[in-house]
Amino acid sequence: MNSAKDCATADILATVRRYWGYSELRPLQEQAIRASLERRDSLVVMPTGGGKSLCYQVPAELAQRTDIVVSPLISLMKDQVDGLRQCGYPAGALYSGMSLDAVHETEEAIVTGRCRLVFVAPERLLTPRFLQLIERLNVCAFAIDEAHCISHWGHDFRPEYRQLAEIKTHFPQASIHAYTATATERVRTDIIAQLGLRNPVALVGTFDRPNLVYRVVPRVDARAQALEVLKRHPGEAAIVYCISRKDTESMAAFLQANRLRAGYYHAGMEADQRRRTQEAFAAEALDVVAATVAFGMGIDRSDVRCVIHAAMPKTIEHYQQETGRAGRDGLEAECVLLYSAADILRWQSLIERSAVETASAPEIIAASRSLLEHTRRLCTSVHCRHRKLSEYFGQEYPKLNCEACDVCLNEVEGLADATVNAQKILSCIARAGENFGVEHIVDVLLGANTERVRRWGHEQLSTHGLMKGTDRKSLTNMLYQLVDDGLLERTDDERPILHLNDASREVLRGKRSVRLLQAKTRVKKTRFDEKSWENVDSGLFESLRSLRRQLASERGVPAYVLFSDATLRDMARMRPGSSDSLLNIRGVGESKLADLGQRFLDQISSYCSANGLKPDAASAADRPRTHRK
Ligand code: ADP
């Protein structure tokens, strides 16, 4: 057994290699692991997919002790425990809804010190029963996952996390290690204060996720646009985030009608139904889930290749966390946000409503409004998205061109004749008398003959039918873009009406030109994507994926806990022909080699013979050419 302090880097690496098959540590992992081994409080902020779990998994095993992990969601705990068991790592979880037998078995494993990690929900941790259970273990480290839930300045406050403030009282000798993916300075300070961390090591990773390609597209028709994006990811995992429960259902129905394997997920469903969707997604029986924010914390599938926001999320923290579900395996993933100024109005009214319902303090309402305004600016600015996100989290972004966002890829296109279109719209509003909403103005411009148009005599206006032939949704989006750019005002009461301001009048007088964005982007390929497929035999990759799916279903575990996509791509690149060369693949540890190695070697070997390939592609010349759609 290693004594904590003098544990060498080599020992840490040996553990990582043995259980997970990784040959190096990611940034900050070693410091975080050391803090835990040295039993010094720590706050670790790393982006989703940054590898936080390893930071608390390694020390417990290296020091041969039992550590407690507090986690907010059952599904999250179950996935982690499943994943760890596949690696041969002893871990257990206690949560409500377990069978009595399973509870006894786990409790027995815990008291006899056979679990290196015990996952538990915050509300269970300080119950007399649990305290008694761990009494004799002399627990010396607690890991708090999703620690931002303790702060009401964050975006996901959970009252039950507040109880964690008492850990220090019950276990004064133990160290506490807080982990989160999203925390601004204010939230970080709050986490430290609430948990009573003493002189903590603060490790703040880079927020940027270079493998994510961000696109923000004006929303014209969310369903059609989502479908278009998803068509770029056939057979791949994707999540479409919607604001309302109803939207998730209609989105899923639309995608199904277009022959995608899609489901939906929201908090209003029966627990059982929710679990089925989640399991089907984990087992790769579903490719796409249309979901509200309720979906996510429990999703550990690392090969999500696309996250679409059908509407703007309320905060950048939410956006970072939800897009964070994409590309956790480090391979490229696409994140598309469909934006309309209508989203701002919708969120504002939701904030107001919830303020009344929960009688929130004025500073909390003001904080929500300011978070919303930051998100709006992210969506409406035409600056590098990676840079904007990094800067929001207080970090400088070093690259001039990220090569991974719509702006830097030069995909954002202005609408031709934007100024003329704006003048037509604004003059129609002026002539109609500045007393009407978006829908009516659109009707007049399109030359519609509605009862309302006739009632106001608007068929007589010179602007009636001025934009006939324009697509209704595109026109509506133009109006919202004008509102967003401050070139037009929209009241935010129950029946919002449009009226002009000084800027609108400048546009009308030809003193100001207007830029409107196209709703379509001509998507370009990134270098990152090309590189990650370099020399990968995509036929072999697909056949390994289907083997993984089959094995996962035989074992009743999610497919990604067996091997990640990154590992399968490496296999399809190198075509290992022996156990030794398989062990050299990133993500193949000893336990998985023993357990799954032969099945994968057989599959590779039979693919090679069927396709006239030699195993063990040694040099680039031996490797197949990439032939991907
Ligand atoms: P987080 O909790 O920070 O969102 P995870 O701990 O789930 O991220 O890690 C994301 C993925 O990266 C997992 O598949 C994990 O096994 C993998 N990973 C973690 N550390 C390393 C490493 N040092 N080398 C390679 N992969 C790693």
Side-chain angles (χ1 to χ4, degrees), residues 267-317:
M269 292 157 69
E270 295 289 324
D272 198 39
Q273 219 185 346
R274 277 207 309 266
R275 188 178 46 76
R276 276 205 301 274
T277 303
Q278 196 154 338
E279 283 175 2
F281 187 62
E284 300 186 4
L286 276 182
D287 294 325
V288 188
V289 177
T292 59
V293 291
F295 187 65
M297 280 182 117
I299 296 309
D300 247 355
R301 194 165 165 181
S302 63
D303 63 344
V304 173
R305 296 269 78 83
C306 175
V307 168
I308 299 173
H309 281 85
M312 187 192 85
K314 189 164 58 165
T315 68
I316 296 188
E317 281 84 349

Side-chain angles (χ1 to χ4, degrees), residues 502-629:
D502 290 347
S504 342
R505 285 181 274 273
E506 281 180 25
V507 174
L508 282 170
R509 275 190 259 118
K511 294 232 158 79
R512 188 175 180 139
S513 61
V514 177
R515 181 177 158 88
L516 293 172
L517 299 181
Q518 292 261 30
K520 265 193 188 293
T521 23
R522 265 191 290 131
V523 172
K524 296 181 185 153
K525 266 217 162 305
T526 67
R527 279 202 294 177
F528 197 95
D529 193 34
E530 280 169 6
K531 212 167 157 35
S532 69
W533 281 101
E534 206 168 41
N535 300 317
V536 174
D537 184 310
S538 49
L540 178 54
F541 174 69
E542 285 305 327
S543 103
L544 296 174
R545 253 186 104 192
S546 87
L547 171 64
R548 176 180 67 178
R549 203 175 301 134
Q550 182 199 332
L551 291 172
S553 113
E554 281 167 21
R555 294 160 182 232
V557 294
Y560 57 80
V561 306
L562 300 184
F563 286 125
S564 75
D565 268 21
T567 301
L568 295 192
R569 276 195 212 175
D570 272 354
M571 287 187 198
R573 185 180 278 128
M574 310 303 296
R575 306 194 298 272
S578 66
S579 298
D580 280 349
S581 48
L582 188 57
L583 198 55
N584 278 330
I585 302 270
R586 202 169 25 143
V588 184
E590 282 168 19
S591 159
K592 286 191 183 170
L593 177 73
D595 184 19
L596 305 161
Q598 202 49 52
R599 298 288 294 266
F600 280 82
L601 285 172
D602 290 347
Q603 186 92 352
I604 294 167
S605 149
S606 58
Y607 183 89
C608 286
S609 359
N611 291 278
L613 293 166
K614 273 190 280 173
D616 286 317
S619 68
D622 278 348
R623 292 182 202 150
R625 298 197 138 240
T626 310
H627 38 84
R628 205 194 164 217
K629 58 233 164 198

Side-chain angles (χ1 to χ4, degrees), residues 158-400:
R158 287 168 183 257
E160 63 276 18
Y161 259 65
R162 281 290 156 100
Q163 302 164 22
L164 302 180
E166 288 170 39
I167 298 179
K168 282 281 182 196
T169 323
H170 286 276
F171 302 90
Q173 304 308 325
S175 58
I176 300 186
H177 308 277
Y179 295 89
T180 176
T182 54
T184 49
E185 189 68 46
R186 187 177 205 182
V187 176
R188 263 177 243 159
T189 315
D190 204 19
I191 294 174
I192 293 175
Q194 299 281 344
L195 288 173
L197 302 188
R198 286 185 223 118
N199 186 23
V201 185
L203 300 167
V204 181
T206 313
F207 279 96
D208 185 50
R209 300 278 317 273
N211 59 322
L212 301 190
V213 180
Y214 298 110
R215 298 190 163 98
V216 181
V217 183
R219 181 173 70 244
V220 167
D221 181 335
R223 292 188 294 183
Q225 286 174 292
L227 179 64
E228 191 186 310
V229 175
L230 291 169
K231 280 187 178 159
R232 298 201 278 270
H233 302 276
E236 296 181 338
I239 305 172
V240 184
Y241 281 106
C242 306
I243 296 186
S244 78
R245 296 170 178 184
K246 220 171 76 216
D247 291 347
T248 64
E249 295 179 14
S250 63
M251 176 67 79
F254 175 81
L255 298 175
Q256 282 161 4
N258 282 280
R259 293 200 296 278
L260 295 192
R261 297 194 304 165
Y264 61 88
Y265 185 102
H266 57 69
M269 292 157 69
E270 295 289 324
D272 198 39
Q273 219 185 346
R274 277 207 309 266
R275 188 178 46 76
R276 276 205 301 274
T277 303
Q278 196 154 338
E279 283 175 2
F281 187 62
E284 300 186 4
L286 276 182
D287 294 325
V288 188
V289 177
T292 59
V293 291
F295 187 65
M297 280 182 117
I299 296 309
D300 247 355
R301 194 165 165 181
S302 63
D303 63 344
V304 173
R305 296 269 78 83
C306 175
V307 168
I308 299 173
H309 281 85
M312 187 192 85
K314 189 164 58 165
T315 68
I316 296 188
E317 281 84 349
H318 278 107
Y319 183 64
Q320 177 82 357
Q321 189 146 50
E322 286 151 22
T323 53
R325 310 282 159 223
R328 294 173 71 136
D329 50 14
L331 301 175
E332 178 167 295
E334 180 178 16
C335 303
V336 178
L337 194 165
L338 302 173
Y339 170 76
S340 158
D343 300 337
I344 304 283
L345 304 160
R346 193 162 172 192
W347 281 123
Q348 272 165 350
S349 74
L350 286 174
I351 290 174
E352 247 115 81
R353 212 168 62 206
S354 105
V356 174
E357 279 166 12
T358 59
S360 314
E363 66 267 26
I364 294 182
I365 306 169
S368 305
R369 288 224 183 89
S370 135
L371 291 174
L372 184 63
E373 176 56 21
H374 278 290
T375 326
R376 191 187 73 81
R377 273 188 244 149
L378 172 74
C379 295
T380 53
S381 77
V382 189
H383 293 117
C384 171
R385 317 283 180 200
H386 282 269
R387 172 179 299 274
K388 285 279 150 198
L389 285 168
S390 294
E391 289 175 354
Y392 178 78
F393 290 106
Q395 296 185 335
E396 277 180 31
Y397 184 72
K399 289 192 224 163
L400 277 177

